[in-house]
Amino acid sequence: MRKMVICYAEGVPDSWEAFCVDFDLAVQGRSFEEVYHKLDQQIGVFLEGVMALPENERTYLLNRRMPLIERIKLFFKVSWSIFSNRGNKLHHTYDVPVNSGPAAV
């Protein structure tokens, strides 16, 4: 089984953050490429650990999400960046495909 997860990165030169909304993970770095790769690695490590757990714990962790208030804040932040067309920040959203079934790891 494959699952698409929602991730978001935001930053200015030398200061970037990336978030995996679906697994409530975050990383920081100096460039978009750095946070993209760090988040990809963190998702991989997270999934390796989760797949070693009993099924009930695995199901819980694979379905956990960023707290609702944080998801709302993120929604407004992304909306604001789209509508304000600020030139001093670069935003990029992307989906990272991950396997979520027992054969994933």
Side-chain angles (χ1 to χ4, degrees):
M1 176 184 213
R2 280 180 82 75
K3 178 176 181 166
M4 296 296 278
V5 295
I6 298 170
C7 299
Y8 174 78
E10 174 182 58
V12 294
D14 295 328
S15 180
W16 279 82
E17 296 176 310
F19 310 91
C20 177
V21 177
D22 291 319
F23 294 146
D24 194 19
L25 302 171
V27 297
Q28 294 179 321
R30 297 180 63 90
S31 68
F32 170 77
E33 291 78 16
E34 182 180 356
V35 295
Y36 179 88
H37 292 294
K38 280 183 169 182
L39 190 58
D40 186 49
Q41 288 177 330
Q42 189 175 37
I43 290 170
V45 169
F46 172 77
L47 290 174
E48 281 181 35
V50 166
M51 298 315 285
L53 297 172
E55 187 169 346
N56 63 333
E57 292 177 44
R58 183 180 338 144
T59 301
Y60 169 75
L61 289 172
L62 289 176
N63 292 307
R64 82 176 183 168
R65 292 182 175 261
M66 182 183 283
L68 179 59
I69 190 69
E70 296 303 320
R71 292 174 69 88
I72 292 169
K73 287 180 193 176
L74 182 58
F75 171 78
F76 282 109
K77 191 180 228 183
V78 171
S79 298
W80 175 254
S81 70
I82 291 169
F83 293 115
S84 69
N85 196 18
R86 293 179 286 176
N88 63 341
K89 284 193 173 186
L90 173 64
H91 293 79
H92 182 84
T93 57
Y94 56 97
D95 293 327
V96 178
V98 296
N99 291 322
S100 61
V105 179

